[in-house]
Amino acid sequence: MPATIDLKNTQTRDALAIRAKAANPQHSDLKPTLIGMDREELGDALKAVGIAERQIRMRTQQLWHWLYVRGVSNFDEMLNVSKDLRALLSQHYTIARPEIVDEQISSDGTRKWLLRFPPRGAGNPVEIETVYIPEDGRGTLCISSQVGCTLTCTFCHTGTQKLVRNLTSEEIISQLLLARERLGDFPEKDTPQGAIVPSEGRKITNIVMMGMGEPLYNFENVKKALLIASDNEGLSLSKRRITLSTSGVVPEIYRTGEEIGVMLAISLHAVRDELRDELVPINRKYPIAQLLQACRDYPGLSNARRITFEYVMLKGVNDSLEDARDLVRLLKGIPAKINLIPFNPWPGSRYECSDWEHIKTFADFVNHAGYASPIRTPRGSDILAACGQLKSESERLRKTERLALEAMMIAGHGET
Ligand code: SAH
Ligand code: SF4
């Protein structure tokens, strides 16, 4: 049996989104941030304000602990750092969080934050969305890597928005810091033995680079942020619990394996180049055969470290049994899991989601061929937090669009 989920019970059509506004007075702080630097850069930042060379290693370690184990956002909370040094640091740098413009909580527990980063370093202020998805025994944070996207996948709402800019490593890792803070997911204190980094009971156990943007078109910043997230003297997320999703930027898939070493998800969505060229236009540059070769070559690939293939179910487009058969043939020899994603509609989109029966038949076929083929339940659809629905504040839905979308979603649910 495939691990399917009953959409009827988990949909949230009559959900009430709870909105909360939380002001963060520190957001206007335009000093350079210490968040998102690797240890060497942090050391250089300390040197730059006159900290003696012989102290740099120790001070870097101290700061790293406060920033990433204890998750403080104010220098004054760094209790074992002298008052003078705290004052010196806050005179030159900031460690403030972004402003929370909007926080919405879905009836299914999914949370979506709209965050505003001040124009620090990288130019313009930006607004981005981050989504937290609680599930039994785990919690996943879906992180954005860009504002908008240069790619134009035809079924993706983000793809209709021009790239505004790449996020900095600060902006990427701050999404995790902010979510942990809002969820009360940082330890309150240290023990005499040192940091408390509980391996159990954490609210955020996994992160996925599946928010807005193509992470491999922002490789350096994503790399830096993910190495901070997985640093075991800091945020300590296992690399097996970090998944990077890409539409298929082949050269950077090799680099991801070599330089970051996180789990890989591929947005496949079609089994023939002709159709994939249309749905995921980067396929024209890196066609399916090249993409799958990069997957076969991914370091550490094994049954325990399978590649996830994402496959959006588009009615009458890519959902036939023949497609399922070709999919199985194509992935032969690659340890893989196939996530079937019911298409999430958005106003103006040219596709419909496949019928439930179709999705189930497709899933059963793939599953019988030996691949796990879970059907991804749309989460947080009442707050537009599902895959492909994220957009920045500058392009948020007008009320009429929102109503049209709600009507589409309710009509869609009637069929399932
Ligand atoms: N740019 C990256 C990561 C972000 S998208 C990528 O393309 O992989 C995360 C996943 O959501 C991708 O698999 C994407 O194809 C899928 N997606 C985008 N729009 C969607 C929609 N409207 N319905 C369902 N899935 C969608
Ligand atoms: Fe960009 Fe991914 Fe959307 Fe394609 S699916 S437009 S790569 S965010």
Side-chain angles (χ1 to χ4, degrees):
M1 276 289 292
T4 52
I5 302 163
D6 183 357
L7 285 174
K8 270 187 208 151
N9 292 336
T10 47
Q11 285 284 8
T12 51
R13 84 180 97 154
D14 47 2
L16 250 185
I18 304 164
R19 280 165 174 260
K21 292 226 171 199
N24 181 347
Q26 297 172 29
H27 78 277
S28 56
D29 193 343
L30 297 182
K31 286 176 238 157
T33 181
L34 296 181
I35 308 275
M37 293 181 168
D38 60 26
R39 282 192 174 77
E40 206 182 322
E41 289 168 332
L42 201 49
D44 289 345
L46 294 176
K47 268 183 231 162
V49 294
I51 312 282
E53 185 71 44
R54 65 192 142 76
Q55 283 193 17
I56 294 294
R57 223 180 111 88
M58 183 267 288
R59 294 290 181 208
T60 302
Q61 207 57 15
Q62 258 178 345
L63 274 173
W64 196 266
H65 178 83
W66 284 110
L67 295 179
Y68 299 121
V69 176
R70 297 292 303 282
V72 306
S73 56
N74 192 322
F75 290 109
D76 286 338
E77 293 172 68
M78 300 184 169
L79 299 178
N80 62 355
V81 176
S82 75
K83 225 174 159 190
D84 289 351
L85 180 53
R86 283 178 347 220
L88 181 71
L89 290 174
S90 63
Q91 198 186 327
H92 294 279
Y93 299 114
T94 179
I95 51 171
R97 303 271 186 259
E99 177 188 3
I100 303 174
V101 179
D102 196 14
E103 175 179 76
Q104 296 183 56
I105 307 175
S106 161
S107 61
D108 68 10
T110 301
R111 285 177 191 234
K112 182 169 84 169
W113 292 280
L114 177 66
L115 305 178
R116 182 181 297 140
F117 288 89
R120 220 183 276 127
N124 305 321
V126 287
E127 289 184 346
I128 51 165
E129 291 182 324
T130 305
V131 177
Y132 172 66
I133 306 158
E135 290 169 296
D136 275 351
R138 65 190 226 164
T140 304
L141 191 72
C142 180
I143 293 182
S144 295
S145 56
Q146 298 182 310
V147 187
C149 190
T150 46
L151 300 173
T152 50
C153 303
T154 45
F155 53 87
C156 175
H157 206 190
T158 310
T160 64
Q161 186 190 341
K162 284 204 196 80
L163 178 76
V164 177
R165 71 165 168 80
N166 279 338
L167 297 183
T168 62
S169 57
E170 178 222 352
E171 290 159 344
I172 297 169
I173 200 69
S174 285
Q175 297 172 60
L176 175 56
L177 297 177
L178 180 123
R180 276 209 161 150
E181 186 174 281
R182 292 293 291 170
L183 295 167
D185 207 21
F186 277 117
E188 299 249 306
K189 54 182 184 299
D190 295 335
T191 65
Q193 288 77 39
I196 310 168
V197 185
S199 55
E200 281 177 27
R202 282 222 130 159
K203 298 220 172 66
I204 297 175
T205 57
N206 293 60
I207 60 178
V208 291
M209 296 303 298
M210 291 189 190
M212 294 165 65
E214 169 48 59
L216 295 190
Y217 272 177
N218 186 13
F219 187 85
E220 296 301 336
N221 290 324
V222 166
K223 172 181 163 181
K224 206 185 272 181
L226 293 185
L227 292 180
I228 293 174
S230 58
D231 185 291
N232 56 18
E233 289 172 8
L235 288 155
S236 294
L237 271 161
S238 154
K239 287 185 181 177
R240 293 191 48 184
R241 289 179 173 272
I242 300 177
T243 302
L244 184 148
S245 174
T246 177
S247 56
V249 191
V250 167
E252 268 67 36
I253 292 177
Y254 286 94
R255 288 191 66 195
T256 303
E258 282 155 22
E259 299 176 36
I260 317 180
V262 292
M263 305 295 278
L264 191 63
I266 301 287
S267 294
L268 189 64
H269 306 315
V271 289
R272 281 176 294 279
D273 280 324
E274 199 190 355
L275 178 61
R276 197 164 188 271
D277 281 351
E278 183 191 322
L279 299 180
V280 188
I282 197 178
N283 195 67
R284 292 180 204 147
K285 197 161 178 195
Y286 306 112
I288 294 175
Q290 273 186 39
L291 177 59
L292 294 185
Q293 192 53 47
C295 292
R296 290 198 168 84
D297 295 340
Y298 199 71
L301 190 58
S302 65
N303 275 335
R305 288 175 59 92
R306 290 175 296 180
I307 291 179
T308 301
F309 289 88
E310 296 156 284
Y311 197 94
V312 64
M313 298 301 293
L314 305 171
K315 189 177 192 165
V317 175
N318 65 353
D319 62 349
S320 71
L321 214 48
E322 201 193 334
D323 288 307
R325 232 174 257 132
D326 287 350
L327 179 61
V328 167
R329 208 173 298 144
L330 211 53
L331 298 187
K332 203 164 184 294
I334 304 179
K337 168 181 160 193
I338 296 152
N339 270 353
L340 298 175
I341 317 175
F343 170 63
N344 293 307
W346 37 273
S349 58
R350 62 177 102 152
Y351 302 106
E352 280 179 68
C353 181
S354 309
D355 300 334
W356 176 244
E357 273 313 310
H358 245 86
I359 303 181
K360 233 180 111 15
T361 311
F362 196 107
D364 283 346
F365 184 92
V366 175
N367 191 251
H368 284 138
Y371 292 102
S373 54
I375 301 174
R376 281 272 142 238
T377 324
R379 295 290 305 263
S381 43
D382 53 342
I383 56 169
L384 293 186
C387 301
Q389 291 187 326
L390 302 186
K391 274 202 134 188
S392 73
E393 169 76 348
S394 58
E395 298 222 5
R396 288 177 100 195
L397 298 180
R398 290 195 309 269
K399 194 168 172 220
T400 45
E401 287 180 319
R402 188 177 279 276
L403 290 175
L405 180 59
E406 274 166 18
M408 278 159 84
M409 291 203 298
I410 289 168
H413 294 179
E415 289 165 15
T416 62

